[in-house]
Amino acid sequence: MPTCLPLVLRRCHTCASQHFRANGKFRVNANHKLLDAWLLVLCTACGATAKLTVLERMNVRSVRPELLDRLHDNDPGLAAELLQDPVVQRRNRIALDWDKAWRLDTGGSDHLDREVIDVSVRFAGRIPVRPMRLIAEGCGLSRAEVGRLIAEGSVVSAVRLNSKLSDDFTFTLKR
């Protein structure tokens, strides 16, 4: 589950840093009947502000009133939604760094002593994570050991466990 907003990977024009932090603030500008909206992000090194385009020259009547209210209220949930939107990412040429922005909730450690464990992984947000990393952290194993177990066939899943996923999946661990 996500713990905070991810870092935005984009080059800063002031200090050439690569990381920006979104604080959930928006800027909305109206020019007659046309509306522009930006998500403001701050450079983690120098504090310079950059704008990520959310709406560009949209007719005011074509923008849903609830979206406009959320923009004016600086809704942090809306900021999270927009950062994960592929259209916004492509338009602004950004990527997201999810490192240290999520945590694993295993529901306890009473399952670790069993011979066979059937696990269903549910994502609370669309966070791209390698399943090998989740298995290692959730079962108290090293990633190298998880890789060895996958090669032996002791970890079985219908999805590829060595690539990034952001959708729910299941796996079986045999010890």
Side-chain angles (χ1 to χ4, degrees):
M1 61 181 46
T3 57
C4 62
L5 292 175
L7 290 177
V8 175
L9 299 176
R10 175 181 171 173
R11 191 172 86 62
C12 178
H13 295 292
T14 305
C15 70
S17 171
Q18 295 291 327
H19 295 90
F20 283 82
R21 178 158 311 281
N23 58 1
K25 302 281 187 204
F26 292 93
R27 174 153 188 242
V28 180
N29 186 32
N31 185 5
H32 299 286
K33 294 180 183 179
L34 301 178
L35 194 71
D36 293 311
W38 300 277
L39 174 63
L40 303 178
V41 292
L42 302 172
C43 177
T44 57
C46 69
T49 302
K51 298 186 292 189
L52 303 180
T53 302
V54 176
L55 299 174
E56 189 171 35
R57 298 290 179 212
M58 294 284 295
N59 191 312
V60 175
R61 292 185 187 268
S62 66
V63 178
R64 295 186 332 266
E66 57 272 1
L67 174 63
L68 199 53
D69 289 341
R70 290 177 75 186
L71 288 169
H72 285 298
D73 293 340
N74 291 321
D75 184 5
L78 178 62
E81 291 172 25
L82 291 172
L83 281 176
Q84 294 181 34
D85 185 2
V87 174
V88 173
Q89 290 180 12
R90 202 172 23 258
R91 176 187 294 157
N92 292 288
R93 296 184 187 100
I94 62 169
L96 300 179
D97 180 9
W98 282 97
D99 195 34
K100 299 177 185 157
W102 61 275
R103 71 177 175 86
L104 179 64
D105 183 14
T106 61
S109 62
D110 59 340
H111 63 281
L112 296 177
D113 57 348
R114 296 186 188 151
E115 194 67 30
V116 176
I117 305 170
D118 288 320
V119 179
S120 179
V121 178
R122 305 270 180 252
F123 286 86
R126 292 192 48 82
I127 303 170
V129 179
R130 293 192 187 281
M132 286 180 62
R133 182 175 178 188
L134 289 177
I135 295 168
E137 288 187 26
C139 297
L141 304 169
S142 69
R143 280 193 248 173
E145 191 173 354
V146 172
R148 184 182 54 76
L149 290 171
I150 291 171
E152 290 175 357
S154 297
V155 177
V156 181
S157 180
V159 298
R160 290 185 56 208
L161 297 174
N162 57 358
S163 62
K164 287 189 176 183
L165 289 176
S166 57
D167 295 324
D168 299 343
F169 68 96
T170 60
F171 69 91
T172 301
L173 172 65
K174 304 171 201 163
R175 294 192 183 218

